[in-house]
Amino acid sequence: MQMDRKNELLVRVYIVFFVFVLLAIVILSKVVTISLFEGEKWREKGGRNVKWVELNGERGNIYDERGNLLATSLPYFDIYVDVMTVSEELWNSDIDALCASLSAMFGNASSEWHAKLVKAREDKDRYLAIAKDLGKEDMKKLQSFPIFKEGRYRGGFLYEIKTSREKPYKQLASRTIGLDRSNATKIGLEKSFNGVLSGDVQKRLMQRYPGDQWLPIYDPSDVDQKRGSDVVTTLDMNYQDIVHHELLHAVSKYNAEAGTAILMEVETGAIKAISNLGKYKDAYVEKYNYAIGRLSEPGSTFKLISALAVLESGKVNLDTKLDIAGGRKKFYDRTMYDSERHGLQVVDLREAFEISSNVGLANAAYEVYGKSRESWLKFYEDLKSIGVMDETGIEIPGEPKPFFKNPAHEKVTASERWSGTTVPWMAHGYELQMTPLQILTIYNAVANNGRMMKPYIVKEIVGADARPKTIKPKILKSSIASATTIAQAKELLEGVAKRGTARNFDIKNTSFAGKTGTTRINYWLKTGDKQYNASFAGYFPADNPKYSLMVVIYNPKGAYYGSQVAGPVFSEIVERVSGMEQRVEVLPVEPKIEVVKAHSGYKGDYKALLEFIGMDYKNHSTSKWVDMDSREASVVMKAKKISTKKVPDVRGMGLRDAVYVLESLGMNVETQGMGMVYKQSILPGTTIRNQGIKIYLK
Amino acid sequence: MGFILLLTLLGLLYIANAHRGERKLRKINKLRKEVNDAKANYQEVKSETTYNTTESQLIKKLEPQGLKMNTETPILIKPEREK
């Protein structure tokens, strides 16, 4: 009996056990089949719902000083259509309307579009390009067209998004702002600040959710990538606009090869505007950064630097007489000419500088530095200590080092070898090469009383989540020459503006100082056209310089003097820029008009009025006529004494009250004006004798 | 029995919550897209207006109407301060 029950129990346990084992085998075998035999298929299916995506954080913007956008990333759309998706019915009813809309938007004839679309349908083209590089606005418009408005699945409307860099100001400073492109090297600020501007790039595993949305698998809430930082420049687009268009006017007028203009703030070295226009086909565009990248012989604008050197030596001053031999002199085997015929024999250094005499400056430098190898070395060292031999270190890539010959180097090529004629030729800006910006940096230093500021163009980096990083002006050299020398140099530059080659510049509202430059660029050729670069460097206002400005026009045709070609650009810019700075005029204020402060009148009226408007007041009066006093925190009523013997003070009363009071005293009232009484013909307190009184109201 | 009911309830809550979360994410995604669209729109329009309002463009556009640049410096009038 007991045994039976035990056996029965055992059998039941075995049955349950067997069932479980069977289940386990089934599951296991299914696992094996899925992973081994069908694995490929399922994994491929699963893969479609998960993918690696490279997420780019948005690139930062570039701004000008006033917060105007200089460069930003905008989405662009390429539009395609899958004509096969469109149903026969929709196609037949709306195709004409669609073609008409397309024709209105893109200009081609409606029939042309019709033919194109019909052909695509015949060819079973599922990806017919409609338009490329459309902006957001146009894209929206396109999305509202017949057929297209049905969307992707019914209307066959397809698009691809691209991001591209947009410069709202187009050509203005565009070479300096730069280019961000994937198929070629970046340039300008886009290059040098690429690390700051770029957003984070991250690879993320994304999963497909119903409705064709992709979300990161591990942390779906964190899809925002870190955006790049914004770069704020020192450029001022108001000034940039002026500089650009004045330069454009000049290069076009003289059919020049190119031109550049740089406007710099004297105190800080901040670049306010920078234009570079090169000829491209028949137009002038920002195609190369001449200001920063092009080395050339500066010519006469360098005379400021040779003057600094000779003055600093102490052997020459502004009144030192120089023999300029009618503007033609032989140094060793080479003859030097002044660019303008003047016939002068002996002038002082001041005049030589003002008329831009090559021979004059060459002579001065030759006397101080030209006669021995030791003095050549001294010349080299003195120029070096002025700071002309180093790069300025501007943030834009591509700045070359200035080219100077070194008398200590003997085993060099002919073009780098120092010779007897080097000192006189360097003195007027040949046998050496600098960029326009490097020259301007020296002029800026002179304007800034000898302190040489590093030119800079980026003043702030604003990150998404960090504190803005401000970039401060940097001093390159606290003093490029002694205070006396700087003062003399300024006097020379002012002299050029007053009496010299720039005396004809017509600039209203401000004063300026500067130096012209007319540089032969192909002097080694014995024949053919003479070619020149025309330039002008200077600063304004002369007495308290705020901005320095350099203009260079490369190879102008028809005219070539610096004063004639670059000068007008300089003076127009100076005039317009200084015109933007407000003049302050102080006006004397007229003496304050005395107004009657006290109101007087019938107490009952005032009470009713004050209660009506709900204003607090204090009543200190027991008589029925009051003076209102509002000088305290609340309005106070003070008793007004009206005597029957004396003329009362009716000033501050209205017409009705004044007339009532006076007439009840038996006086004859004459009135003039309207409003409140401000004057009465008989002074208050006078004894009343049957007389008339006149009151004046306003 | 009560325990099983509790587990079922918790399970239901868990599933509902997951669904709610997903719906929110989808909405966030949609709104983000809208924000980006609006931003792009704004920048496109803004960049056009900035260019059109530069001095040189205005001069060009107003010339046919006979308007010209004022060459006079603007004057800022400052009253003398009262003593």
Side-chain angles (χ1 to χ4, degrees):
Chain A
M1 193 62 194
Q2 273 239 311
M3 221 38 189
D4 275 358
R5 288 202 64 167
K6 197 181 173 184
N7 278 340
E8 201 188 317
L9 215 75
L10 259 176
V11 169
R12 284 189 188 177
V13 168
Y14 278 128
I15 291 171
V16 171
F17 175 73
F18 185 71
V19 168
F20 269 91
V21 169
L22 212 71
L23 258 171
I25 289 171
V26 169
I27 292 171
L28 238 133
S29 63
K30 198 70 192 165
V31 166
V32 171
T33 19
I34 288 175
S35 65
L36 290 183
F37 302 107
E38 300 172 1
E40 201 79 337
K41 179 181 145 199
W42 293 119
R43 260 191 289 275
E44 199 230 331
K45 255 196 176 153
R48 264 189 248 156
N49 283 330
V50 170
K51 65 176 174 186
W52 283 100
V53 172
E54 211 165 72
L55 290 173
N56 279 307
E58 200 188 325
R59 193 175 172 85
N61 294 334
I62 302 179
Y63 293 98
D64 86 340
E65 195 188 34
R66 293 164 187 260
N68 292 317
L69 256 186
L70 302 185
T72 186
S73 297
L74 281 183
Y76 280 86
F77 300 88
D78 287 351
I79 312 291
Y80 302 90
V81 60
D82 174 4
V83 283
M84 302 310 290
T85 313
V86 186
S87 69
E88 199 63 39
E89 196 187 337
L90 182 63
W91 179 269
N92 289 336
S93 69
D94 283 3
I95 182 73
D96 291 331
L98 173 64
C99 290
S101 303
L102 286 171
S103 157
M105 185 163 172
F106 298 108
N108 308 35
S110 183
S111 55
E112 225 171 286
W113 282 107
H114 194 273
K116 196 171 166 183
L117 288 167
V118 167
K119 184 166 185 303
R121 209 159 152 97
E122 277 164 10
D123 295 349
K124 296 195 167 31
D125 186 351
R126 309 206 73 139
Y127 206 61
L128 174 70
I130 296 291
K132 299 221 162 174
D133 297 328
L134 287 191
K136 189 87 207 166
E137 293 278 281
D138 289 340
M139 162 78 174
K140 269 217 180 116
K141 213 166 136 195
L142 216 66
Q143 265 174 320
S144 68
F145 284 1
I147 297 184
F148 288 172
K149 71 177 168 218
E150 304 297 328
R152 178 174 168 181
Y153 297 111
R154 295 191 60 225
F157 187 76
L158 304 170
Y159 59 86
E160 273 176 24
I161 306 182
K162 302 178 294 185
T163 315
S164 122
R165 220 45 186 162
E166 168 82 8
K167 283 189 220 130
Y169 286 95
K170 314 209 163 136
Q171 280 292 307
L172 300 192
S174 86
R175 199 72 194 178
T176 304
I177 298 164
L179 287 173
D180 166 45
R181 41 190 184 184
S182 44
N183 54 348
T185 37
K186 300 181 190 342
I187 56 166
L189 289 175
E190 296 273 18
K191 180 179 185 185
S192 41
F193 285 84
N194 188 41
V196 174
L197 287 164
S198 327
D200 272 358
V201 181
Q202 229 173 9
K203 270 198 144 185
R204 285 285 189 80
L205 194 60
M206 305 278 268
Q207 187 180 359
R208 192 214 294 265
Y209 279 76
D212 215 15
Q213 294 204 41
W214 292 88
L215 296 174
I217 279 182
Y218 300 111
D219 185 2
S221 65
D222 181 29
V223 281
D224 255 351
Q225 289 306 289
K226 217 179 127 206
R227 196 179 170 277
S229 300
D230 293 334
V231 168
V232 182
T233 65
T234 57
L235 294 175
D236 182 326
M237 292 322 266
N238 291 345
Y239 293 163
Q240 180 70 40
D241 190 42
I242 294 173
V243 169
H244 180 93
H245 287 94
E246 292 300 344
L247 182 67
L248 180 62
H249 176 75
V251 286
S252 313
K253 182 174 174 188
Y254 294 106
N255 189 21
E257 178 206 329
T260 180
I262 322 157
L263 181 69
M264 198 193 282
E265 192 175 63
V266 166
E267 207 187 326
T268 58
I271 292 182
K272 290 283 157 192
I274 178 168
S275 264
N276 292 287
L277 294 172
K279 194 168 190 174
Y280 179 72
K281 290 176 183 164
D282 284 328
Y284 286 91
V285 293
E286 290 253 347
K287 62 167 197 172
Y288 179 76
N289 212 323
Y290 301 95
I292 287 161
R294 188 190 255 205
L295 280 176
S296 63
E297 288 175 312
S300 302
T301 49
F302 190 81
K303 283 175 188 157
L304 171 72
I305 295 155
S306 37
L308 282 172
V310 295
L311 289 168
E312 188 78 351
S313 76
K315 290 175 187 157
V316 173
N317 61 40
L318 298 187
D319 301 314
T320 305
K321 296 283 178 215
L322 301 166
D323 175 17
I324 59 169
R328 181 164 184 260
K329 187 173 177 173
K330 207 165 180 186
F331 291 91
Y332 300 97
D333 56 335
R334 280 177 81 183
T335 312
M336 186 183 294
Y337 301 92
D338 282 355
S339 48
E340 273 179 272
R341 293 267 159 79
H342 47 68
L344 295 166
Q345 292 298 324
V346 176
V347 295
D348 54 21
L349 179 63
R350 184 183 283 115
E351 197 179 348
F353 193 88
E354 283 165 8
I355 62 166
S356 196
S357 164
N358 296 340
V359 176
L361 267 291
N363 231 350
Y366 184 72
E367 287 303 319
V368 180
Y369 294 115
K371 292 178 174 165
S372 67
R373 182 162 286 275
E374 293 77 62
S375 54
W376 292 352
L377 280 165
K378 182 84 175 37
F379 188 47
Y380 182 83
E381 289 306 321
D382 285 355
L383 287 179
K384 194 170 187 167
S385 76
I386 291 173
V388 294
M389 297 196 190
D390 301 312
E391 297 99 324
T392 63
I394 182 99
E395 303 99 313
I396 312 288
E399 188 194 8
K401 201 177 162 65
F403 166 73
F404 279 87
K405 294 182 176 182
N406 186 341
H409 295 171
E410 282 172 29
K411 284 182 182 159
V412 287
T413 55
S415 63
E416 288 178 36
R417 194 173 298 133
W418 194 285
S419 73
T421 56
T422 301
V423 169
W425 255 265
M426 275 175 76
H428 67 289
Y430 292 86
E431 301 198 22
L432 62 97
Q433 293 185 349
M434 291 174 81
T435 66
L437 183 69
Q438 285 158 356
I439 299 271
L440 180 62
T441 305
I442 303 293
Y443 276 76
N444 196 74
V446 170
N448 200 21
N449 294 321
R451 178 178 288 179
M452 186 172 171
M453 301 305 297
K454 179 187 168 185
Y456 74 107
I457 200 157
V458 170
K459 68 169 200 175
E460 205 172 35
I461 293 166
V462 185
D465 40 32
R467 257 196 321 144
K469 187 179 152 210
T470 309
I471 293 153
K472 293 214 172 69
K474 207 173 138 199
I475 299 166
L476 286 177
K477 248 185 178 50
S478 58
S479 179
I480 60 166
S482 71
T484 338
T485 306
I486 295 293
Q488 287 173 318
K490 280 182 155 179
E491 210 182 316
L492 287 177
L493 294 173
E494 283 166 37
V496 173
K498 282 180 197 140
R499 300 172 293 269
T501 45
R503 68 183 176 277
N504 293 327
F505 290 13
D506 177 27
I507 300 180
K508 286 180 218 110
N509 301 332
T510 189
S511 55
F512 73 101
K515 180 75 193 77
T516 52
T518 311
T519 317
R520 272 295 293 279
I521 47 178
N522 59 347
Y523 48 82
W524 50 88
L525 297 178
K526 296 276 179 261
T527 55
D529 278 351
K530 289 178 177 176
Q531 292 181 356
Y532 296 86
N533 290 340
S535 56
F536 196 92
Y539 55 83
F540 62 96
D543 43 350
N544 185 20
K546 187 134 195 252
Y547 296 110
S548 58
L549 172 62
M550 170 121 201
V551 179
V552 184
I553 310 278
Y554 298 100
N555 195 7
K557 318 284 185 311
Y560 56 85
Y561 284 116
S563 58
Q564 197 181 346
V565 178
V569 182
F570 181 89
S571 46
E572 282 296 322
I573 294 173
V574 169
E575 191 168 306
R576 290 179 64 185
V577 166
S578 62
M580 282 210 171
E581 314 267 312
Q582 285 164 330
R583 270 186 297 158
V584 175
E585 238 164 64
V586 178
L587 291 185
V589 175
E590 273 186 51
K592 260 211 175 129
I593 298 153
E594 205 59 46
V595 287
V596 184
K597 286 221 176 79
H599 280 246
S600 313
Y602 182 60
K603 187 161 132 192
D605 288 347
Y606 278 113
K607 262 185 147 169
L609 176 69
L610 289 168
E611 267 151 31
F612 178 72
I613 60 171
M615 202 169 171
D616 282 342
Y617 66 96
K618 284 182 192 138
N619 185 1
H620 291 175
S621 158
T622 50
S623 74
K624 64 182 198 180
W625 296 99
V626 289
D627 281 330
M628 303 296 293
D629 191 343
S630 60
R631 277 167 298 182
E632 284 158 51
S634 67
V635 182
V636 179
M637 287 182 179
K638 288 177 181 160
K640 191 171 187 71
K641 280 189 191 118
I642 310 277
S643 142
T644 48
K645 302 262 166 60
K646 288 178 178 165
V647 174
D649 185 358
V650 295
R651 285 176 296 184
M653 283 187 174
L655 176 70
R656 197 183 58 169
D657 288 344
V659 171
Y660 176 79
V661 169
L662 293 171
E663 285 191 341
S664 62
L665 292 170
M667 299 181 86
N668 222 339
V669 186
E670 202 185 321
T671 65
Q672 185 186 321
M674 285 158 68
M676 209 159 44
V677 179
Y678 72 95
K679 198 171 141 189
Q680 57 192 81
S681 64
I682 304 172
L683 285 177
T686 319
T687 314
I688 299 175
R689 288 178 224 112
N690 255 343
Q691 74 243 83
I693 184 167
K694 186 170 183 186
I695 52 176
Y696 303 84
L697 302 98
K698 75 172 176 190
Chain B
M1 197 60 193
F3 184 64
I4 292 171
L5 272 177
L6 179 69
L7 278 186
T8 324
L9 188 74
L10 284 179
L12 275 173
L13 281 179
Y14 176 78
I15 294 166
N17 198 35
H19 272 284
R20 231 167 58 117
E22 199 189 297
R23 212 167 38 233
K24 286 234 157 97
L25 284 175
R26 215 169 296 168
K27 198 171 166 194
I28 290 172
N29 239 15
K30 201 179 131 210
L31 290 176
R32 183 176 287 132
K33 220 175 129 193
E34 269 172 38
V35 168
N36 282 343
D37 269 15
K39 219 161 84 183
N41 239 340
Y42 163 75
Q43 293 206 317
E44 200 178 304
V45 173
K46 164 111 186 166
S47 84
E48 221 165 276
T49 42
T50 25
Y51 181 70
N52 286 332
T53 49
T54 52
E55 201 178 285
S56 51
Q57 291 301 311
L58 288 177
I59 293 173
K60 221 180 274 171
K61 274 175 202 153
L62 293 176
E63 216 165 28
Q65 297 177 33
L67 291 172
K68 257 188 255 158
M69 264 282 276
N70 182 8
T71 48
E72 286 284 302
T73 326
I75 301 174
L76 182 74
I77 298 169
K78 241 190 187 172
E80 207 169 29
R81 293 185 72 191
E82 285 178 68
K83 276 139 215 162

